[in-house]
Short mmCIF file of all heavy atoms in Angstrom, two decimals:
data_model
loop_
_atom_site.label_atom_id
_atom_site.label_comp_id
_atom_site.label_asym_id
_atom_site.label_seq_id
_atom_site.Cartn_x
_atom_site.Cartn_y
_atom_site.Cartn_z
N ASP A 1177 -0.83 -5.69 -8.47
CA ASP A 1177 -1.51 -6.96 -8.73
C ASP A 1177 -1.35 -7.89 -7.52
O ASP A 1177 -0.87 -7.50 -6.46
CB ASP A 1177 -0.94 -7.58 -10.00
CG ASP A 1177 -1.96 -8.43 -10.75
OD1 ASP A 1177 -2.90 -8.95 -10.12
OD2 ASP A 1177 -1.82 -8.57 -11.98
N ILE A 1191 1.35 1.53 -1.53
CA ILE A 1191 0.54 1.40 -2.74
C ILE A 1191 -0.56 2.46 -2.67
O ILE A 1191 -1.42 2.40 -1.79
CB ILE A 1191 -0.07 -0.01 -2.85
CG1 ILE A 1191 1.06 -1.06 -2.88
CG2 ILE A 1191 -0.96 -0.13 -4.07
CD1 ILE A 1191 0.57 -2.48 -2.69
N ILE A 1281 -19.13 -11.60 13.09
CA ILE A 1281 -17.94 -12.06 13.79
C ILE A 1281 -17.97 -13.59 13.80
O ILE A 1281 -18.99 -14.19 14.16
CB ILE A 1281 -17.90 -11.54 15.24
CG1 ILE A 1281 -17.78 -10.01 15.26
CG2 ILE A 1281 -16.75 -12.17 16.01
CD1 ILE A 1281 -16.46 -9.47 14.80
N THR A 1290 -15.74 -4.53 26.08
CA THR A 1290 -15.12 -3.28 25.65
C THR A 1290 -14.01 -2.89 26.62
O THR A 1290 -14.17 -2.99 27.83
CB THR A 1290 -16.18 -2.17 25.57
OG1 THR A 1290 -17.23 -2.58 24.69
CG2 THR A 1290 -15.58 -0.88 25.03
N HIS A 1291 -12.90 -2.42 26.05
CA HIS A 1291 -11.72 -2.12 26.87
C HIS A 1291 -11.06 -0.82 26.40
O HIS A 1291 -11.17 -0.44 25.23
CB HIS A 1291 -10.68 -3.24 26.76
CG HIS A 1291 -11.20 -4.59 27.10
ND1 HIS A 1291 -11.11 -5.13 28.37
CD2 HIS A 1291 -11.83 -5.51 26.33
CE1 HIS A 1291 -11.65 -6.34 28.37
NE2 HIS A 1291 -12.10 -6.59 27.15
N PHE A 1317 -7.35 6.06 18.31
CA PHE A 1317 -8.32 5.74 19.38
C PHE A 1317 -7.69 4.74 20.33
O PHE A 1317 -6.66 4.12 20.03
CB PHE A 1317 -9.62 5.19 18.79
CG PHE A 1317 -9.43 3.98 17.91
CD1 PHE A 1317 -9.41 2.70 18.44
CD2 PHE A 1317 -9.25 4.12 16.54
CE1 PHE A 1317 -9.23 1.58 17.64
CE2 PHE A 1317 -9.07 3.02 15.73
CZ PHE A 1317 -9.06 1.75 16.27
#
Side-chain angles (χ1 to χ4, degrees):
D1177 210 334
I1191 301 168
I1281 296 290
T1290 303
H1291 305 267
F1317 56 87

